[in-house]
């Protein structure tokens, strides 16, 4: 049986551009859960007469690819992809979040540099300001959330302290730049995940990377760790960035249960290290400051301060109480209590 469905140019009743439903590129539910078809879609012959053009295939291919990523991230069938998340992904400006953030940072830096009288110094400022966003940030969406991995220097690992300090200069830009807010939220989300994985570690690997440089250190090395040196300030920097981000943007979207769980982990770790340290660390090294003598912190009498095994320089502490780091912790915990009350609503945790 053959039927003439009409002429798309004249008699099909098409008044202008028309949408293509997401359901047209996925199979019926129950038949296949991991297939997207951006070319041989479910459509009538008359509809396919106008769909079968390269620009349409470009758009359908991009939509199918974005949907596949979201399905893989969520571990879901393609029929169950969050359509709002898919629309958000497809509505991203050309160049993606990272590309647009780079352009925003460049405009911001050039505007600030115009006030610097020394041309060489102005050029140096712009180059330095853009260095982190251009060379060290890896941005993606992970489990429906922003995720940013920030490498430190020439080492392909993320130090909690260094990464949060590296993106701190972008806070003044974040209020006006939505892509930069997403990158900063990604840094926070990644830092919260790292702290929950191991609050005693100072540096972490990106997803899928293995073989940390210090895998043979005699401590509780876990998958995903690059180095496990207990440094009190490593727990403080992500909380400092969280407070700074909230003050700069007013955005409360990063301060859900993952943030609260991270704060609980920080508090639990600090309390443990106020009494008697449960941390141990040994490394085969020729430098005395690269490992702990006997693998443990020096004995101490509890006095309210938090013991720390290593300084911010990654060098071992001879005496366990790093006074500047304890002052930093006291300040950042007070600011964290404010963030919790104003954004998360967990008054009990804020009181702790």
């Amino acid at each position: 049986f053959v039927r003439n469905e009409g002429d798309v140019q004249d008699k099909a009743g098409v008044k202008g551009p028309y949408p293509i439903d997401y359901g047209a590129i996925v199979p019926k539910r129950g038949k296949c859960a991991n297939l997207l078809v951006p070319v041989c879609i479910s459509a009538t012959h008359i509809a396919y007469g106008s769909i079968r053009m390269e620009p349409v295939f470009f758009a359908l291919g991009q939509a199918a690819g974005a949907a596949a990523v979201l399905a893989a991230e969520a571990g879901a069938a393609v029929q169950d992809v969050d359509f709002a998340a898919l629309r958000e992904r497809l509505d991203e400006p050309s160049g993606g979040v990272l590309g647009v953030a780079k352009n925003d940072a460049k405009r911001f830096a050039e505007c600030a540099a115009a006030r610097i009288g020394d041309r060489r110094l102005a050029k140096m400022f712009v180059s330095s300001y853009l260095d982190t966003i251009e060379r060290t940030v890896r941005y993606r969406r992970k489990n429906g959330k922003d995720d940013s991995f920030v490498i430190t220097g020439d080492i392909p690992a993320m130090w909690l302290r260094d990464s949060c300090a590296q993106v701190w200069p972008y806070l003044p830009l974040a209020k006006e730049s939505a892509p930069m807010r997403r990158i900063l939220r990604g840094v926070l989300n990644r830092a919260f995940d790292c702290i929950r994985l191991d609050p005693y570690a100072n540096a972490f690997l990106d997803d899928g990377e293995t073989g940390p440089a210090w895998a043979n250190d005699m401590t509780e090395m876990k998958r995903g760790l690059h180095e496990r040196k207990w440094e009190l300030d490593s727990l403080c920097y992500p909380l400092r960035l969280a407070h700074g981000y909230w003050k700069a943007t007013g955005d409360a979207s990063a301060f859900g249960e993952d943030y609260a769980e991270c704060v609980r982990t920080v508090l639990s770790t600090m309390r443990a290290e106020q009494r008697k340290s449960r941390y141990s660390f040994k490394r085969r090294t020729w430098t005395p400051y690269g490992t702990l003598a006997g693998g443990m912190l020096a004995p101490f009498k509890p006095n309210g301060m938090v013991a720390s095994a290593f300084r911010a320089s990654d060098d071992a502490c001879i005496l366990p109480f790093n006074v500047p780091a304890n002052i930093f912790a006291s300040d950042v915990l007070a600011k964290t209590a404010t963030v919790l009350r104003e954004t998360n609503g967990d008054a009990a945790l804020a009181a702790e």
Side-chain angles (χ1 to χ4, degrees):
F1 175 76
V2 178
R3 183 178 67 183
N4 184 355
E5 294 181 310
D7 187 337
V8 73
Q9 285 89 5
D10 182 26
K11 300 175 182 178
V14 179
K15 303 299 183 182
Y18 58 90
I20 300 174
D21 191 273
Y22 176 68
I25 68 172
V26 298
K28 288 184 177 180
R29 186 181 300 276
K31 289 197 171 183
C32 185
N34 63 349
L35 177 67
L36 293 122
V37 185
V39 176
C40 299
I41 71 172
S42 177
T44 65
H45 177 75
I46 193 66
Y48 202 76
S50 57
I51 290 172
R52 61 176 181 83
M53 308 301 289
E54 283 83 353
V56 182
F57 288 157
F58 292 163
L60 288 172
Q62 182 183 7
V69 170
L70 292 174
E73 289 177 344
V78 293
Q79 293 87 352
D80 296 325
V81 166
D82 184 339
F83 190 73
L86 178 58
R87 179 181 289 276
E88 180 183 359
R89 181 72 62 92
L90 294 174
D91 283 343
E92 288 177 0
S94 176
V97 171
L98 194 56
V100 179
K102 290 177 183 178
N103 292 334
D104 290 347
K106 184 177 181 180
R107 285 192 292 270
F108 183 89
E110 289 174 345
C111 181
R115 308 177 197 176
I116 301 175
D118 188 318
R119 293 180 59 187
R120 291 180 299 174
L121 187 59
K123 184 177 180 179
M124 185 186 301
F125 167 76
V126 173
S127 177
S128 300
Y129 191 77
L130 297 179
D131 186 71
T132 290
I133 196 70
E134 287 183 339
R135 298 198 307 114
T136 68
V137 177
R138 304 171 185 169
Y139 172 84
R140 79 275 274 177
R141 295 279 292 178
K142 179 182 176 183
N143 298 327
K145 300 186 300 182
D146 297 303
D147 180 71
S148 303
F149 187 87
V150 183
I151 66 170
T152 300
D154 60 345
I155 303 174
M158 178 170 169
W159 269 255
L160 291 176
R161 170 187 58 249
D162 300 56
S163 59
C164 291
Q166 283 169 254
V167 300
W168 182 268
Y170 298 128
L171 288 178
L173 170 61
K175 186 175 180 61
E176 305 300 329
S177 172
M180 187 61 75
R181 288 197 298 275
R182 294 181 67 172
I183 289 172
L184 292 172
R185 284 199 302 267
V187 175
L188 292 173
N189 289 334
R190 170 67 68 147
F192 300 158
D193 287 346
C194 289
I195 289 173
R196 291 186 299 160
L197 173 63
D198 190 341
Y200 286 95
N202 58 326
F204 298 80
L205 298 172
D206 201 356
D207 298 343
E209 293 185 358
T210 58
W214 308 115
N216 294 323
D217 285 346
M218 288 166 276
T219 186
E220 296 180 30
M221 291 294 290
K222 301 176 182 177
R223 183 178 179 85
L225 304 188
H226 173 78
E227 187 174 54
R228 192 176 186 265
K229 286 185 173 180
W230 162 232
E231 302 164 351
L232 175 57
D233 66 300
S234 287
L235 295 183
C236 297
Y237 271 91
L239 299 182
R240 171 180 178 256
L241 180 63
H243 177 266
Y245 175 80
W246 173 65
K247 293 290 288 184
T249 67
D251 177 17
S253 63
F255 305 111
E257 183 54 32
D258 288 350
Y259 171 66
E261 186 61 32
C262 170
V263 174
R264 294 187 191 98
T265 302
V266 169
L267 290 175
S268 173
T269 305
M270 288 185 178
R271 284 169 178 154
E273 297 303 312
Q274 282 179 314
R275 297 185 288 272
K276 182 179 180 180
S277 181
R278 57 192 180 189
Y279 172 78
S280 63
F281 181 94
K282 281 185 179 181
R283 174 178 292 172
R284 294 182 177 87
T285 176
W286 58 271
T287 58
Y289 51 79
T291 187
L292 295 179
M296 304 293 291
L297 276 76
F300 62 87
K301 181 178 180 179
N303 58 16
M305 287 199 292
V306 180
S308 183
F310 291 86
R311 301 190 295 274
S313 61
D314 292 343
D315 297 334
C317 295
I318 297 176
L319 302 177
F321 297 119
N322 186 322
V323 175
N326 272 269
I327 294 172
F328 188 14
S330 176
D331 176 70
V332 82
L333 288 178
K335 291 175 177 175
T336 299
T338 301
V339 176
L340 283 166
R341 283 192 296 267
E342 297 296 327
T343 66
N344 185 279
D346 194 332
L349 183 57
E352 289 189 56

